[in-house]
């Protein structure tokens, strides 16, 4: 089954991106992605821009309400995600623990919804 | 149907439910991972037993009867779900070994898997004990809530949330691999001991509630030992709990006042329980792998020596 590893960064971690990650951090991420690929569990991944670039939209009473900023006003913000094909949550927790994002911010592990549910959405 | 017959049936249903609840729930949920549905199905089966058995007599193998009834109920429930997303494979799975299980007297005991799932690291630590009490022993949420001093509604919601995660969270219903086993087993033992501790601490003035929970915990430890006879710490935990149990009658004065260990009257300690505890502790030491529960039980064992001292 497939799991999403959602990586949450602290503001400090987002700041590090400005220096082009010119530090061991980048090396750790590269090694991590290589390990995922070598293990044959990698399905897909991407990083998100800094939270300040986010815009949140709600439709209420037929009116569009647009708000500058991310959905939730918390210290740790979604910074990216990785999708992995794994046998169980045990394996997903192992990979999450090895993820460089877990050492400063946090990594949330969540299974993707069942295939049938996803097909229901996409037709 | 006459009154006493119905009473007898009630008692039989209660006994079978008590002895078989965990086995049936574990077996019914091991493929679907859906504990809530398995429990609902078993409840329906028990209700059905209460109405059928007084008329038709108690079946020769009550457990198999309950399993068959619960499976029917489970299949019906899945069919009636409005969102039938991918339910067909599940129904197929349930039907496949349906006939086989109905005919055979023995069905595999999956309770060990269930205990490990209840104490899985992805499940909120505080819910390990309540989940075991409910899914393996069949205690209702209200009673568990009472022991944990929280509102029954809150406990019900937390149990529901945990079961949702067990169903859809990718938690494997299996015995952990050897590499993970010591850590995972620790979590199971801790959860059982927590139930015992709550029962123990709660026992203000011989409160029946507390006593019940300590007994339930001892039962869980016995189940675990039956499933993992070669684990020293399982023996150790049971020995520890039995040593504590042995001193229960001496722990409170007639006025309900707490009596410290040094002032307890050893004549009021239960010798059979002490002896049973000692047997388990000896078994544990023979296995040659020391651990926290064995050490605590050994300390208890030293205290229990006093039972043999001359007055």
């Amino acid at each position: 089954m497939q799991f999403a590893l959602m990586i949450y960064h602290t503001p400090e971690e987002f700041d590090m991106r400005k220096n082009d990650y010119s530090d061991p951090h980048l090396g750790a991420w590269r090694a991590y992605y290589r390990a995922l690929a070598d293990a044959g569990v990698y399905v897909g991944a991407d990083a998100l821009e800094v939270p300040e670039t986010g815009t949140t939209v709600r439709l209420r009473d037929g009116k569009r309400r647009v708000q500058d900023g991310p959905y939730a006003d918390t210290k740790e913000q979604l910074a990216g995600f990785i999708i992995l094909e794994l046998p169980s949550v045990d394996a997903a927790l192992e990979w999450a623990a090895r993820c460089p994002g877990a050492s400063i911010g946090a990594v949330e592990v969540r299974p993707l919804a069942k295939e049938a549910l996803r097909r229901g959405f996409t037709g | 149907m006459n009154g006493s017959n119905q009473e007898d049936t009630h008692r039989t249903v209660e006994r079978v439910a008590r002895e078989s609840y965990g086995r049936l729930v574990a077996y019914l949920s091991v493929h679907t991972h859906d504990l809530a549905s398995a429990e609902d199905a078993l409840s329906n089966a028990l209700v059905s037993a209460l109405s059928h058995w007084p008329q038709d007599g108690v079946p020769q193998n009550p457990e198999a009867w309950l399993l068959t009834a619960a499976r029917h109920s489970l299949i019906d429930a899945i069919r009636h779900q409005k969102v039938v997303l991918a339910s067909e494979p599940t129904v197929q799975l349930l039907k496949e070994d349906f006939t086989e299980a109905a005919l055979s007297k023995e069905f595999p005991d999956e309770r060990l898997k269930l205990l490990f799932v209840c104490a899985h690291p992805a499940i909120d630590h505080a819910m390990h004990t309540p989940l075991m009490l409910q899914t393996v022993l069949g205690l209702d949420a209200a009673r568990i809530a009472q022991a944990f001093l929280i509102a029954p509604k809150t406990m019900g919601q937390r149990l529901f949330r945990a079961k949702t995660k067990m169903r859809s969270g990718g938690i494997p219903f299996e015995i952990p691999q050897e590499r993970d086993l010591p850590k995972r087993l620790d979590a199971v033992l801790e959860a059982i001991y927590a139930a015992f501790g709550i029962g123990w601490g709660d026992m203000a003035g011989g409160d029946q509630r507390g006593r019940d929970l300590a007994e339930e915990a001892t039962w869980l430890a016995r189940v675990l030992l039956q499933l993992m006879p070669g684990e020293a710490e399982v023996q150790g935990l049971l020995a520890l709990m039995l040593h504590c149990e042995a001193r229960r009658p001496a722990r409170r004065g007639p006025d309900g006042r707490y009596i410290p260990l040094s002032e307890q009257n050893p004549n009021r300690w239960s010798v059979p329980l002490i002896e049973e505890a000692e047997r388990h502790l000896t078994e544990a030491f023979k296995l040659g792998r020391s651990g926290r529960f064995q050490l605590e039980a050994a300390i208890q064992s030293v205290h229990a020596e006093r039972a043999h001292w001359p007055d």
Side-chain angles (χ1 to χ4, degrees), chain A residues 1 3 88-90 93 111 116-117, chain B residues 85-86 120 168-172 184:
Chain A
M1 61 190 289
F3 289 86
S88 74
V89 73
D90 295 338
L93 296 180
L117 180 62
Chain B
L85 285 171
H120 192 277
S168 312
I171 294 175
R184 296 284 310 275

Side-chain angles (χ1 to χ4, degrees), chain B residues 55-279:
Chain B
Q55 285 162 14
D56 312 342
V58 176
Q60 214 169 11
N61 184 350
E63 210 177 34
W65 192 98
L66 285 172
L67 180 60
T68 308
R71 273 169 173 277
H72 278 303
S73 166
L74 202 55
I75 291 170
D76 281 351
I78 293 168
R79 286 244 169 88
H80 284 129
Q81 273 171 9
K82 278 187 183 149
V83 189
V84 240
L85 285 171
S87 74
E88 238 4 81
T90 312
V91 172
Q92 216 47 47
L93 192 72
L94 284 165
K95 273 162 102 183
E96 264 165 28
D97 39 36
F98 174 70
T99 36
E100 183 199 334
L103 295 173
S104 92
K105 249 174 74 171
E106 287 299 316
F107 57 95
D109 191 344
E110 308 283 16
R111 281 179 299 181
L112 189 55
K113 291 178 187 169
L114 190 52
L115 283 168
F116 277 111
V117 171
C118 289
H120 192 277
I123 300 281
D124 177 9
H125 193 262
M127 290 308 292
H128 290 181
T129 305
L131 280 168
M132 281 181 189
L133 292 174
Q134 181 155 73
T135 61
V136 184
L137 298 180
L139 266 60
D140 64 43
R143 208 178 130 204
I144 299 169
Q146 205 177 28
F148 283 75
L149 302 176
I150 63 171
K153 200 179 152 202
T154 313
M155 181 53 83
Q157 284 165 345
R158 288 182 192 167
L159 285 164
F160 180 79
R161 205 179 306 144
K163 285 177 202 165
T164 304
K165 189 157 190 185
M166 287 169 157
R167 190 184 65 227
S168 312
I171 294 175
F173 274 50
E174 61 190 27
I175 293 155
Q177 294 171 347
E178 206 159 331
R179 182 173 60 104
D180 304 325
L181 193 62
K183 227 174 145 189
R184 296 284 310 275
L185 181 59
D186 277 352
V188 173
L189 294 171
E190 267 169 32
I192 294 175
Y193 193 47
F196 186 80
I198 289 165
W200 196 241
D202 199 39
M203 247 194 0
D207 182 343
Q208 186 58 35
R209 270 184 294 150
R211 168 174 312 186
D212 286 351
L213 206 55
E215 273 170 16
E216 302 291 2
T218 314
W219 177 287
L220 269 180
R222 286 186 196 281
V223 169
L224 186 61
L225 181 62
Q226 194 190 326
L227 300 166
M228 302 185 98
E231 287 292 336
E233 276 292 84
V234 180
Q235 298 268 17
L237 175 65
L238 185 54
L240 171 60
M241 299 196 318
L242 290 171
H243 265 309
C244 292
E245 280 293 314
R247 294 202 302 270
R248 184 192 295 281
R251 228 176 137 238
R252 301 263 174 195
D255 51 353
R257 194 180 49 87
Y258 169 72
I259 304 175
L261 181 55
S262 55
E263 291 166 29
Q264 284 176 15
N265 176 4
N267 291 332
R268 300 194 63 201
W269 295 349
S270 159
V271 175
L273 284 178
I274 290 175
E275 283 172 353
E276 197 193 345
E278 288 298 303
R279 275 201 303 278

